[in-house]
């Protein structure tokens, strides 16, 4: 993944470039809109970060040019406090999300990865001749599409379930695209990607003086999504203490900013998603039953890739096209044996694993056609990986199993904590806490 960072503040550019590099992501920087224009014309980028306030061509002008010229990569706007109105205007003009200074670079990386993944899956569908944003020719995905078309025009709350990497945000964006609020903003937040102590203020906003450091009013995401859609990704990570407040919003269609006294009406459509078993969490007392039923008005389950092998060829074809262009390669397809091997692979990492396998195969392929020997199907996530990692003993504690699962995930992703957390279905913050708890050091990997 390659990102263009456009900001007139050198410290912001350098900060994001260093952090992206630590996450294994490539990036270029531009100090103004005109420079960014030049770079966008001469290179290929998967996403752009654009500062709203810049001398000469400002961020909103650059964004409008970007969309008018047909560039479709995700764009995240960077705004300062007091520029929320401009950020909302940017969302209406084609921005995919926004962040407010000062921001957490880790949160930006999570937003970038989620948006690029969603855009990638959308392009797959369009490259296969489909009108919508969903990928797949299998009966399972056609059923998903039919449900979406049925419920999109309504205002029903939707709960999307499925394993990590199956495309839950893609489904949420498709519902928004077909809805009566499609002209409004689509705002997504990964619940597990926001520190617990900041989550409430992100969702509800706060009044000036609400707490130390609240120097001016902050508009929350529920307000910003008014007239559009708010996507609560990984709702299973919602702290129990906040769940009752989310329930109240769904019941009353009103929110109150932190430090405020006057409830304000909101008219955002709510879509939630999770890779967790919420029913089990309800039974165990970790998720409110009343909130579960409020969210679960309409359920859309996205089957894992291993249950819809008919979708693998179209996905694989797009991935080849995408990386051939990005890496300057001339890979045209697969041998019949290689394609058959992909169809029969389990893909417990879903589309993300498929993309990883094909990208690696393209790099090492000696011809324009990927053969069976070019595919490394052993490196993916397997159902019995945890079993392989456990010691040969009669009794294995839950702590041992969890520690081994974490070690295996970190080994698969060469220590990349963000990707390991995605595979394990937990937040990066939770993974770091577990690493510390179990004393997992480099020597364990």
């Amino acid at each position: 993944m390659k990102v263009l960072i456009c900001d007139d503040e050198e410290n912001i550019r350098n900060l994001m470039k260093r952090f992206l590099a630590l996450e294994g992501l490539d990036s270029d920087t531009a100090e103004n809109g005109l420079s960014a224009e030049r770079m966008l014309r001469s290179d290929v980028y998967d996403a752009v970060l654009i500062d709203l306030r810049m001398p000469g061509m400002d961020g909103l002008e650059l964004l409008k040019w970007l969309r008018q010229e047909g560039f479709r990569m995700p764009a995240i706007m960077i705004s300062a406090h007091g520029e929320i109105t401009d950020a909302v205007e940017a969302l209406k003009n084609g921005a995919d999300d926004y962040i407010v200074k000062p921001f957490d670079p880790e949160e930006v990386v999570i937003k970038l990865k989620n948006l690029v993944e969603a855009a990638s899956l959308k392009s797959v569908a369009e490259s296969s001749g489909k009108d919508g944003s969903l990928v797949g020719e299998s009966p399972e995905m056609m059923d998903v599409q039919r449900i979406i078309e049925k419920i999109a025009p309504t205002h029903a709350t939707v709960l999307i379930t499925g394993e990590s990497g199956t495309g839950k945000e893609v489904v949420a964006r498709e519902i928004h695209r077909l809805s009566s609020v499609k002209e409004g903003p689509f705002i997504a937040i990964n619940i597990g990607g926001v520190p617990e102590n900041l989550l409430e203020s992100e969702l509800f906003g706060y009044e000036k003086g609400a707490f130390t450091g609240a120097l001016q009013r902050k508009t929350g995401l529920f307000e910003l999504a008014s007239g559009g859609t708010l996507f609560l990704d990984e709702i299973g990570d919602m702290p129990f203490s906040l769940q009752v407040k989310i329930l109240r919003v769904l019941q009353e269609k009103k929110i109150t900013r932190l430090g405020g006294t006057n409830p304000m009406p909101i008219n955002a459509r709510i879509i939630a998603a999770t890779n967790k078993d919420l029913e089990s969490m309800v039974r165990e007392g970790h998720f409110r039953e009343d909130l579960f039923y409020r969210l679960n008005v309409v359920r859309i389950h996205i089957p894992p890739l291993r249950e819809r092998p008919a979708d693998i060829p179209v996905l694989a074809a797009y991935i080849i096209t995408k990386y051939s262009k990005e890496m300057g390669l001339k890979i045209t397809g697969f041998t019949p044996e290689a394609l058959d091997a992909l169809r029969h692979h389990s893909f417990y990492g879903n589309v993300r694993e498929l993309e990883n396998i094909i990208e690696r195969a393209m790099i090492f392929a000696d011809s324009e056609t990927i053969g069976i020997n070019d595919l490394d199907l052993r490196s993916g996530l397997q159902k019995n990986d945890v079993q392989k990692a456990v010691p040969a003993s009669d009794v294995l504690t839950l702590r041992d199993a969890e520690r081994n699962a974490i070690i295996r995930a970190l080994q698969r992703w060469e220590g990349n904590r963000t990707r390991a957390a995605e595979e394990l279905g937990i937040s990066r913050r939770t993974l770091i806490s577990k690493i510390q708890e179990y004393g997992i050091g480099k020597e364990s990997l």
Side-chain angles (χ1 to χ4, degrees):
M1 187 168 90
K2 190 172 184 180
V3 180
L4 177 61
I5 306 162
C6 184
D7 196 304
D8 61 323
E9 295 185 45
E10 185 178 7
N11 62 325
I12 296 291
R13 298 196 305 271
N14 292 340
L15 169 68
M16 282 310 306
K17 187 173 181 65
R18 287 197 301 270
F19 198 86
L20 289 171
L22 289 173
E23 293 291 327
L25 304 179
D26 192 15
S27 63
D28 289 332
T29 61
E31 62 183 34
N32 55 62
L34 292 176
S35 177
E37 270 193 18
R38 173 181 55 79
M39 299 171 74
L40 285 161
R41 290 186 188 278
S42 61
D43 208 341
V44 177
Y45 296 95
D46 297 290
V48 289
L49 283 170
I50 304 174
D51 188 24
L52 270 169
R53 288 282 179 262
M54 294 184 293
M57 174 186 279
D58 65 21
L60 191 55
E61 290 175 309
L62 175 59
L63 175 67
K64 290 178 179 178
W65 172 86
L66 195 74
R67 297 312 186 213
Q68 288 169 358
E69 292 293 313
F71 291 97
R72 302 171 63 188
M73 77 282 283
I76 297 179
M77 308 305 292
I78 304 172
S79 69
H81 285 293
E83 297 177 355
I84 300 301
T85 302
D86 293 329
V88 174
E89 183 67 20
L91 291 171
K92 293 178 180 178
N93 280 276
D96 297 273
D97 207 338
Y98 81 98
I99 53 175
V100 179
K101 299 176 182 176
F103 53 82
D104 180 359
E106 183 176 320
E107 181 184 352
V108 178
V109 171
I110 292 171
K111 286 180 182 287
L112 284 169
K113 290 182 176 180
N114 288 339
L115 287 171
V116 169
E117 179 180 350
S120 175
L121 293 178
K122 179 177 180 179
S123 296
V124 175
E126 293 171 346
S127 70
S128 66
K130 291 178 64 65
D131 179 52
S133 301
L134 277 183
V135 179
E137 300 173 348
S138 64
E140 295 86 355
M141 291 308 292
M142 297 303 291
D143 284 342
V144 169
Q145 181 69 59
R146 280 192 289 269
I147 296 172
I148 289 173
E149 292 171 356
K150 187 76 173 178
I151 59 97
T154 75
H155 291 283
T157 302
V158 181
L159 177 63
I160 305 170
T161 59
E163 295 178 4
S164 179
T166 50
K168 295 185 288 295
E169 183 168 341
V170 177
V171 170
R173 288 181 180 274
E174 179 74 343
I175 294 171
H176 175 76
R177 188 184 73 85
L178 297 175
S179 74
S180 60
V181 296
K182 62 183 179 183
E183 300 302 324
F186 177 93
I187 295 182
I189 178 172
N190 187 306
I191 302 298
V194 181
E196 185 173 334
N197 61 327
L198 300 179
L199 185 57
E200 186 172 2
S201 64
E202 279 293 307
L203 290 171
F204 296 95
Y206 53 77
E207 298 288 355
K208 180 179 179 180
F211 50 83
T212 303
L215 303 180
Q216 54 191 334
R217 173 185 292 174
K218 173 183 170 65
T219 305
L221 297 185
F222 277 110
E223 282 185 82
L224 289 174
S226 286
T229 301
L230 178 60
F231 177 51
L232 303 174
D233 197 9
E234 302 308 343
I235 191 69
D237 289 334
M238 178 70 68
F240 199 82
S241 59
L242 270 183
Q243 291 178 22
V244 67
K245 296 188 177 183
I246 302 299
L247 174 65
R248 191 173 298 121
V249 172
L250 294 176
Q251 290 174 331
E252 302 175 1
K253 304 297 181 183
K254 294 179 181 179
I255 63 107
T256 302
R257 298 192 190 106
L258 294 179
T261 56
N262 299 320
M264 296 171 293
I266 57 117
N267 64 340
R269 182 178 193 166
I270 307 300
I271 301 177
T274 183
N275 60 7
K276 295 185 176 180
D277 183 348
L278 290 188
E279 286 93 336
S280 295
M281 292 181 67
V282 168
R283 289 193 296 270
E284 295 166 1
H286 299 309
F287 200 86
R288 293 182 64 99
E289 183 177 14
D290 44 9
L291 176 58
F292 170 73
Y293 285 117
R294 279 286 177 178
L295 293 170
N296 195 37
V297 177
V298 176
R299 172 83 69 96
I300 298 179
H301 179 70
I302 308 174
L305 187 57
R306 61 186 173 277
E307 293 180 7
R308 45 188 177 96
D311 294 332
I312 291 175
V314 66
L315 284 164
Y318 166 73
I319 293 168
I320 279 187
T321 302
K322 172 187 174 182
Y323 283 109
S324 290
K325 184 177 180 181
E326 288 185 5
M327 298 189 292
L329 300 174
K330 293 183 179 180
I331 305 295
T332 58
F334 302 86
T335 64
E337 295 79 11
L339 193 57
D340 188 59
L342 289 175
R343 285 197 188 98
H344 288 87
H345 186 61
S346 295
F347 287 113
Y348 284 94
N350 291 295
V351 179
R352 190 176 296 117
E353 182 185 346
L354 174 65
E355 187 167 2
N356 180 274
I357 287 171
I358 293 177
E359 181 183 3
R360 183 167 50 240
M362 292 176 68
I363 293 171
F364 291 102
D366 294 322
S367 68
E368 295 183 356
T369 304
I370 293 177
I372 185 70
N373 293 329
D374 299 317
L375 297 174
D376 183 5
L377 299 179
R378 299 166 301 171
S379 60
L381 178 62
Q382 300 298 319
K383 187 176 182 180
N384 60 348
D385 272 344
V386 174
Q387 296 173 345
K388 292 178 181 177
V390 302
S393 61
D394 293 331
V395 179
L396 181 68
T397 67
L398 183 60
R399 286 177 59 84
D400 288 337
E402 186 174 52
R403 185 177 189 277
N404 287 327
I406 291 171
I407 290 174
R408 295 286 295 187
L410 289 168
Q411 288 172 338
R412 273 188 291 274
W413 294 107
E414 298 177 349
N416 187 313
R417 296 178 175 183
T418 299
R419 300 301 294 271
E422 290 173 349
E423 176 185 302
L424 292 165
I426 60 178
S427 68
R428 191 175 190 273
R429 184 177 68 249
T430 299
L431 176 61
I432 292 173
S433 175
K434 292 291 185 182
I435 289 172
Q436 295 171 345
E437 177 184 347
Y438 293 130
I440 300 173
K442 292 183 178 179
E443 68 279 358
S444 302
L445 308 179

